[in-house]
Amino acid sequence: MLVLLPPSEGKAASGRGAPLKPESLSLPGLADARAAVLDELVELCAADEVKAQQVLGLSEGLRGEVAKNVALRTAGTRPAGDVYTGVLYDALGLASLEPDARRRARASLLVFSGLWGAVRIGDRIPSYRCSMGVKLPGLGSLAAHWRGPMESVMPEAAGRGLVLDLRSAAYAGAWKPKGELAARTATVRVLHSQIVDGVEKRSVVSHFNKATKGRIVRDLLVSGARPKGPAELVEVLRELGHTVEATAPEAKGRSWALDVVVAEIH
């Protein structure tokens, strides 16, 4: 099983480990595309802080993030699973997993990134600021930049197993499974269910969406479940206590759609 995750906007500070070694990152087929983004991002942030702030979509309070990007080649690194923070990663709780579950996490979790394309949680990276929605002056839209390299790299990374796609829309734009691979891919939407005047109303709420996705991944890792396809995944998630409504693809090249319904997060 391969689990596709979005990154977090907020990130832990760079570590005290050795500086970035691009050749050590997973998915080496993305190396050239990574180098192109890294080169332009560092150059932009070093040359014009104000322009970089605008390009990256940073508020005045986050202006200091520009300097973080300037130091990407020399800053200390830490495992990507420690760099990414926020609601999803808090709920996932990688640091508190038992050794077997952590091994499963290292093998199955893939985090999409505007800067790196995608990394595994054990890949050592510095803290950075560059979302998939950014349009760099030279390279243009990062989502478009990554589509070509991802087309050749992702099918190999997915192998012949289930793909659980938990990415947000911006990161899903960098790669879309096709053909036979799409048929064994399940995308997840989290719906918050409320009873209002005796009538159930459902809505997509950011906190519930991120926290529930983190809990789903944690439950799968802890259980050691290895569903072979989307239909089996639905049954596993239900056994783990999640309320899941599934829609099988109606045409070739489409993915399964899973709605996970929650009333509250404990």
Side-chain angles (χ1 to χ4, degrees):
M1 178 173 63
L2 184 67
V3 181
L4 311 182
L5 297 174
S8 57
E9 287 298 320
K11 299 173 182 69
S14 293
R16 297 183 178 180
L20 174 70
K21 295 180 180 179
E23 68 278 6
S24 71
L25 299 180
S26 301
L27 308 182
L30 299 178
D32 290 345
R34 285 172 178 149
V37 180
L38 180 63
D39 287 347
E40 183 170 354
L41 183 62
V42 171
E43 181 178 351
L44 169 68
C45 292
D48 191 331
E49 184 180 274
V50 174
K51 182 177 181 180
Q53 181 184 351
Q54 294 171 343
V55 169
L56 296 174
L58 300 176
S59 66
E60 188 61 29
L62 293 173
R63 190 166 178 170
E65 297 288 281
V66 174
K68 179 187 294 184
N69 287 343
V70 175
L72 282 172
R73 292 194 180 93
T74 57
T77 58
R78 64 174 70 199
D82 295 341
V83 170
Y84 296 116
T85 60
V87 175
L88 188 155
Y89 291 90
D90 284 347
L92 173 52
L94 287 168
S96 63
L97 291 174
E98 295 295 328
D100 284 349
R102 283 190 64 83
R103 282 192 289 272
R104 288 190 283 270
R106 287 193 292 269
S108 62
L109 304 189
L110 196 64
V111 184
F112 270 60
S113 161
L115 173 54
W116 313 115
V119 292
R120 296 193 183 276
I121 62 167
D123 288 340
R124 298 191 68 90
I125 58 173
S127 187
Y128 67 96
R129 190 75 178 216
C130 184
S131 71
M132 191 65 80
V134 165
K135 294 182 179 179
L136 292 175
L139 292 176
S141 164
L142 289 180
H145 171 75
W146 287 112
R147 284 182 200 131
M150 290 288 182
E151 285 293 331
S152 59
V153 169
M154 285 304 299
E156 181 179 354
R160 303 190 61 81
L162 166 70
V163 177
L164 175 56
D165 190 351
L166 302 177
R167 296 173 297 167
S168 54
Y171 291 89
W175 178 71
K176 181 179 180 180
K178 298 178 180 178
E180 180 271 336
L181 179 53
R184 50 188 168 89
T185 297
T187 61
V188 172
R189 179 177 64 166
V190 178
L191 299 178
H192 180 211
S193 173
Q194 291 178 295
I195 303 300
V196 180
D197 296 330
V199 178
E200 183 191 28
K201 294 187 177 182
R202 294 180 176 183
S203 60
V204 178
V205 181
S206 178
H207 173 80
F208 285 86
N209 177 56
K210 294 175 181 177
T212 301
K213 286 179 177 179
R215 293 181 70 184
I216 286 172
V217 177
R218 184 179 179 89
D219 287 347
L220 289 170
L221 294 172
V222 170
S223 72
R226 301 180 64 180
K228 296 179 180 179
E232 189 174 332
L233 172 66
V234 172
E235 295 306 313
V236 168
L237 291 177
R238 287 172 177 167
E239 290 172 3
L240 291 172
H242 298 278
T243 300
V244 183
E245 299 173 357
T247 303
E250 297 179 353
K252 291 183 178 179
R254 299 287 182 87
S255 302
W256 283 64
L258 273 55
D259 283 345
V260 178
V261 184
V262 297
E264 57 183 316
I265 296 293
H266 298 287

